[in-house]
Amino acid sequence: MTSALSDRSTDILARLTALRQADAPTHGGRVLSYVYDSGLAELDELAAEAIRIMQPVNGLDPTTFPSVAAMERDLVGFARRMLHGGDDVTGSVTSGGTESCLLAVKTARDVWRAAGGAGAPRLVAPVTVHAAFSKAAQYLGLDLDLVPVSADGQVAADALTARFGPDVALVVVSAPAYPHASLDPIAAVAAAAQAAGIACHVDACIGGWVLPWWSPDDPLPTWDFAAPGVTSISADLHKFGYAPKGASVLLHRGRDRHRAQYFATRRWPGYPVVNATMLGSKSAGALAAAWAIVERLGESGFAELAASCRRSTDAVTTAIDAIDGLRVVGSPVGPLCAVATDESLPAQRRVDPHHWADRVRSHGWLLQLQPGHLQSDGSRLPHTTHLTITPVTESVLPDLVAALRTAADEVRGVPAVTADDVLGALPVGFGDVLGSLANRSRPIDSAEASALLAGIGIRSGGALPERMAPLLALLESLPAPLTERLLVELLAGLVDP
Ligand SMILES: *Cc1c(COP(=O)(O)O)cnc(C)c1O
């Protein structure tokens, strides 16, 4: 294939290959977040060829390119059967989980307004709901009402339903929630939402394509359209649908609800615009890759991959629970979990999950550090380390478990980095700068933010430190708006030419 290319093009592709050397490995199971490796090389080849065929097709207009509608219809149909939706369930393929979540919120907001809702609508959800809903609330003008969860990440149905009122446009529950893999009390919340006339979205972005086959012998509590009152569900194809990034499904119960997701206008001098999703022009490549993979796997293929994830998840969580000083948080449902320190043990036997993640990384495995979180009721969720298990994990299981054990042995008894540690280690005068920022109405600008980052050892455009535990502790101890501004500066600096 590359033989048809000129030398210049070949050189350009070589540069791309070289750029990838710096990236975390997307295959092989060493990265336990971000990537979802089926372990089946054929699926990657199939997806690449599907993208190649459909790459130039514009998903903007399924009337000009009927292939787009055909693939989308198949995917929506498959997802509807998988999620126990009846004939009244329909939906769209979107570019990813965030877009599905944004559109679920937009739809609920517009349905609420059409039913006479006025003012700012409210979105009720457990605090563990994905940050995409915080983004949606911010973008779309809803008040976000986050309900505290217990220490094991679980929320009580009545804690959510107690917040219901005429201004609530949407309640969101997750299957499961990303931080701790807790399965929210979906059936009870959906039933109460229906009685109150409130839309209920199930965020199954991560669980949607794996939970249907998770527990064939011991059914999970009802979490999909089989629960009356569930009005929409998001399920990401580019997670446990094993598709390349850029594909998710959003389903609605009720055609009119689905139609409320659309944007249409003929009030400009150009072509009439009708968009099911947020993007306009888009390649049909991601849709085609997802379609091809779902066609290839079918029910039985997904069931086999889910069974592999299940075996590996059980093995990993059992191994972690057996490590002195660590514990798996709550009762995770699905191929992911969070790990916290075991506070029932004396300090010298505890393992701090962030020191642990840093050590695991030095052994060649990438886990995801999650900060602690102060909830609105004053209770604190501990900082944790997140693992997502995929089918490829099974092929590296003994090595992974060995690395998890060894790393724990290496940091057992090392106390967690505290806010005082990190604030005390900051350059002299840093505290004064923070204080003056706090007392000032003008927001900090880019120059000030990059100076603050430099003060904590992060150069503009530079790499993150080898050890992430101190950085996480720092981010956790600074005021949230300042942390958020510094993170923006850090990421914006990466692409600033
Ligand atoms: C991944 C995820 C999202 C957001 O999806 P993106 O594909 O990253 O945009 C939303 N909710 C949950 C539960 C997720 O795991």
Side-chain angles (χ1 to χ4, degrees):
M1 173 168 77
T2 41
S3 61
L5 295 175
S6 67
D7 288 352
R8 264 185 82 184
S9 295
T10 308
D11 287 350
I12 289 167
L13 293 182
R15 278 165 55 202
L16 278 183
T17 308
L19 283 175
R20 266 202 75 177
Q21 301 300 311
D23 291 344
T26 51
H27 291 79
R30 295 233 156 212
V31 178
L32 289 103
S33 56
Y34 304 111
V35 291
Y36 299 80
D37 185 355
S38 68
L40 305 174
E42 186 192 332
L43 288 194
D44 288 337
E45 286 307 312
L46 176 65
E49 281 307 309
I51 288 175
R52 219 179 149 71
I53 293 168
M54 286 292 176
Q55 176 170 269
V57 172
N58 192 347
L60 172 67
D61 185 358
T63 66
T64 305
F65 303 105
S67 64
V68 172
M71 292 185 287
E72 195 164 350
R73 207 160 50 228
D74 285 347
L75 281 172
V76 168
F78 191 101
R80 171 167 85 180
R81 287 189 298 280
M82 168 179 91
L83 299 172
H84 301 109
D87 288 349
D88 57 341
V89 168
T90 187
S92 304
V93 175
T94 73
S95 66
T98 297
E99 193 181 28
S100 289
C101 297
L102 286 168
L103 286 170
V105 174
K106 178 240 182 284
T107 302
R109 184 199 64 180
D110 290 356
V111 168
W112 176 83
R113 276 189 190 154
R122 195 151 47 93
L123 190 169
V124 172
V127 71
T128 45
V129 77
H130 194 278
F133 290 94
S134 173
K135 186 179 190 174
Q138 199 181 98
Y139 278 17
L140 298 166
L142 289 86
D143 292 329
L144 187 62
D145 188 2
L146 293 177
V147 176
V149 299
S150 62
D152 59 3
Q154 214 64 53
V155 70
D158 53 10
L160 286 168
T161 58
R163 306 285 182 109
F164 285 3
D167 61 331
V168 176
L170 180 67
V171 59
V172 181
V173 276
S174 301
Y178 186 85
H180 317 102
S182 44
L183 183 65
D184 289 333
I186 290 166
V189 171
Q194 186 173 35
I198 293 170
C200 175
H201 179 74
V202 175
D203 180 6
C205 278
I206 199 155
W209 290 87
V210 65
L211 292 193
W213 303 279
W214 187 247
S215 189
D217 305 321
D218 180 20
L220 297 173
T222 307
W223 60 272
D224 60 14
F225 284 113
V230 169
T231 51
S232 56
I233 304 183
S234 50
D236 290 354
L237 287 154
H238 65 202
K239 286 179 182 158
F240 289 96
Y242 311 106
K245 294 293 181 258
S248 168
V249 192
L250 173 61
L251 298 182
H252 302 274
R253 196 192 314 258
R255 291 209 156 70
D256 289 325
R257 204 168 260 292
H258 176 237
R259 302 331 186 219
Q261 176 195 301
Y262 279 66
F263 171 82
T265 187
R266 46 142 264 225
R267 285 173 250 187
W268 76 308
Y271 59 91
V273 169
V274 189
N275 294 156
T277 63
M278 299 186 129
L279 302 182
S281 290
K282 57 184 174 188
S283 168
L287 168 64
W291 177 87
I293 287 177
V294 170
E295 289 294 307
R296 175 71 181 80
L297 287 175
E299 285 267 347
S300 62
F302 277 109
E304 278 172 37
L305 292 174
S308 168
C309 290
R310 179 70 195 256
R311 287 190 296 272
S312 297
T313 304
D314 288 349
V316 168
T317 53
T318 304
I320 290 171
D321 271 331
I323 294 175
D324 207 36
L326 288 176
R327 66 184 172 90
V328 172
V329 178
S331 311
V333 177
L336 52 155
C337 68
V339 181
T341 197
D342 183 353
E343 279 171 340
S344 71
L345 296 177
Q348 72 274 14
R349 280 175 61 191
R350 290 183 198 165
V351 173
D352 174 67
H354 286 181
H355 289 322
W356 178 64
D358 281 338
R359 287 309 304 173
V360 172
R361 181 174 167 196
S362 73
H363 293 293
W365 305 81
L366 207 57
L367 311 183
Q368 195 174 49
L369 290 79
Q370 301 188 129
H373 184 80
L374 181 63
Q375 305 196 87
S376 58
D377 64 356
S379 65
R380 212 177 163 79
L381 299 173
H383 63 287
T384 58
T385 288
H386 184 102
L387 289 80
T388 297
I389 306 297
T390 61
V392 79
T393 308
E394 200 157 30
S395 64
V396 293
L397 202 46
D399 290 348
L400 171 62
V401 168
L404 300 180
R405 287 194 185 121
T406 307
D409 290 344
E410 289 165 349
V411 297
R412 187 166 294 110
V414 179
V417 184
T418 65
D420 285 348
D421 294 338
V422 287
L423 295 174
L426 291 176
V428 182
F430 200 90
D432 299 339
V433 178
L434 292 181
S436 67
L437 287 175
N439 294 323
R440 191 179 83 180
S441 57
R442 182 167 64 81
I444 73 169
D445 62 23
S446 168
E448 289 166 324
S450 55
L452 285 173
L453 283 173
I456 57 181
I458 300 172
R459 298 267 149 222
S460 176
L464 289 178
E466 272 299 298
R467 289 179 57 232
M468 293 292 286
L471 187 61
L472 265 279
L474 177 65
L475 295 183
E476 213 183 299
S477 56
L478 297 176
L482 177 60
T483 307
E484 287 153 5
R485 182 62 185 84
L486 293 180
L487 289 171
V488 167
E489 197 59 34
L490 177 69
L491 272 289
L494 294 179
V495 295
D496 205 329

